[in-house]
């Protein structure tokens, strides 16, 4: 039995672990992949106060080491169910079940409080054959897979900061980068757009949406359509990097706390939920700004709320 079980070891979950452990509580972090969440693939984090020019991996590793050195324990597995129950003395607690990884047995954990810091996952393109072509030219992470396409032509899809950064990263490796966006204006920062516009091997393909993934068994191109002229064109590329933003995957926890229309945890800045003893933190929570610093802020708020709740149970 732990005092606090934290689902998700991204920046929000790791911060909650640091605050929980420093608050004298026993903390268990449960993670389905590896610690660090989305920042693990960010080559350079330069907007986190006090951590100038660090990589996402370094920053996440520092957070992880800080949490575990303070006593937080780590378990791996995908949480499939959390059930509210009671301990032998009749105190309310939670039974947390994981699916297990790579065919291994699932496990059951118990805790007096739960912090859901489940993050978000990549929004898919939504085209036929997309799932089958992951690893065969479709990727959601340019920094993870970009090196496989050194010297090739590639497409980056999306207009946010991730797409812009992916295009910039790939421009260093690839022969040519098509940056395909559905509008004629980018959502991401103007400063990066300007840098990209000056690169000879980057072509902006604006007002354009993808309509078909070409190639079998590996990607050989993408058919795109201009939404204003309806003109279609095939971009001959070996890789398609999708940067359409992130979506939550909170369905397993809808018995514990309300989700909003888009599937995010419907909770305010206090990180409380409609189930006593359950708190939420980070990008999986309904919020205006999803940034590293807002995720870690949530982690602290949720852990302090959990500590207060635990004191009330004593
Ligand atoms: P995002 O800002 O939500 O951008 C998603 C992009 O995908 C948008 O341009 C959107 O087009 C496009 N899109 C979404 N669904 C689409 C569809 N079905 N068809 C065509 N296009 C579609 O996501 P993000 O770029 O991953 O960034 C997420 C957050 O992290 C943002 O707050 C961002 O600033 C931040 N971030 C910061 C940094 C940094 O500071 N270094 C780096 C990366 C990300 P529309 O624009 O038309 O909606």
């Amino acid at each position: 039995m732990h005092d606090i079980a934290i689902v998700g070891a991204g920046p929000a979950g790791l911060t909650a672990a640091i605050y929980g452990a420093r608050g004298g509580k026993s903390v268990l972090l449960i993670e389905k992949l590896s610690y660090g969440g989305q920042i693990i693939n960010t080559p350079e984090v330069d907007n986190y106060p006090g951590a100038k020019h660090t990589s996402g991996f370094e920053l996440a590793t520092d957070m992880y080491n800080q949490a575990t050195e303070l006593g937080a324990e780590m378990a791996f597995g995908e949480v499939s169910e959390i059930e509210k129950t009671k301990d032998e003395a009749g105190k309310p607690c939670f039974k947390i079940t994981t699916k297990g990884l790579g065919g291994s047995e699932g496990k059951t954990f118990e805790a007096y409080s739960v912090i859901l810091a489940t993050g978000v996952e990549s929004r898919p393109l939504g085209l036929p054959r997309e799932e089958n072509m992951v690893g065969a030219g479709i990727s959601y992470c340019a920094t993870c897979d970009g090196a496989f396409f050194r010297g090739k032509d590639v497409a980056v899809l999306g207009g946010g900061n991730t797409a812009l950064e992916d295009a910039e990263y790939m421009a260093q490796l690839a022969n040519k980068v098509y940056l395909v966006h559905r509008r004629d204006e980018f959502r991401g920062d103007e400063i990066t757009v300007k840098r990209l516009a000056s690169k000879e091997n980057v072509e902006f393909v604006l007002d354009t949406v993808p309509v078909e993934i070409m190639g079998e068994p590996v990607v050989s191109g993408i058919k795109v359509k201009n939404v204003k002229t309806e003109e279609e064109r095939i971009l001959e590329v070996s890789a398609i990097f999708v940067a359409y933003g992130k979506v939550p995957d909170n369905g397993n926890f809808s018995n514990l706390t309300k989700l909003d229309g888009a599937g995010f945890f419907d909770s305010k800045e206090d990180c409380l939920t409609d189930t006593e003893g359950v708190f939420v933190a980070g990008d999986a929570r309904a919020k205006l700004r999803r940034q590293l610093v807002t995720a870690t802020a949530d982690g602290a708020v949720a852990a302090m709320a959990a500590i207060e709740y635990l004191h009330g149970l004593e």
Side-chain angles (χ1 to χ4, degrees), residues 155-292:
V156 173
L157 311 190
N161 275 324
T162 304
L164 299 181
E165 286 190 358
D166 285 358
E168 202 168 27
Y169 177 74
M170 287 312 301
Q172 302 166 57
L173 296 174
N175 177 55
K176 162 128 194 177
V177 179
Y178 297 96
L179 178 55
V180 182
H181 180 38
R182 64 181 170 185
R183 295 187 290 132
D184 62 358
E185 202 173 80
F186 288 105
R187 179 180 291 274
D189 296 343
E190 187 56 34
I191 189 170
T192 324
V193 175
K194 280 200 180 129
R195 277 203 307 266
L196 279 169
S198 70
K199 290 193 189 295
E200 277 182 6
N201 66 340
V202 175
E203 179 180 332
F204 293 169
V205 186
L206 300 178
D207 291 320
T208 297
V209 292
V211 290
E212 189 182 337
I213 298 165
M214 320 288 295
E216 178 74 50
V218 295
V219 167
S220 64
I222 183 156
K223 190 190 277 182
V224 296
K225 185 169 90 176
N226 185 298
V227 291
K228 289 187 176 153
T229 63
E230 304 256 303
E231 199 181 314
E232 289 192 342
R233 168 183 179 194
I234 291 174
L235 307 176
E236 289 181 4
V237 294
S238 308
I240 300 165
F241 294 99
V242 185
Y244 276 1
K246 307 287 174 184
V247 286
D249 182 18
N250 294 330
N252 287 350
F253 312 110
S254 56
N255 63 323
L256 284 179
T257 172
K258 264 192 297 184
L259 305 182
D260 72 3
F264 293 99
F265 294 127
D266 196 0
S267 163
K268 303 208 164 43
E269 300 296 317
D270 56 16
C271 298
L272 304 180
T273 73
D274 39 359
T275 301
E276 281 204 347
V278 176
F279 308 87
V280 293
D283 284 6
R285 181 174 78 74
K287 55 163 71 177
L288 184 61
R289 305 277 178 227
R290 292 192 170 76
Q291 294 289 309
L292 182 50

Side-chain angles (χ1 to χ4, degrees), residues 77-82 96-100 107 251-253:
E78 185 177 348
V79 174
S80 53
E81 198 185 354
I82 301 181
I96 301 145
T97 308
T98 65
K99 268 188 202 161
K107 286 189 181 144
N252 287 350
F253 312 110

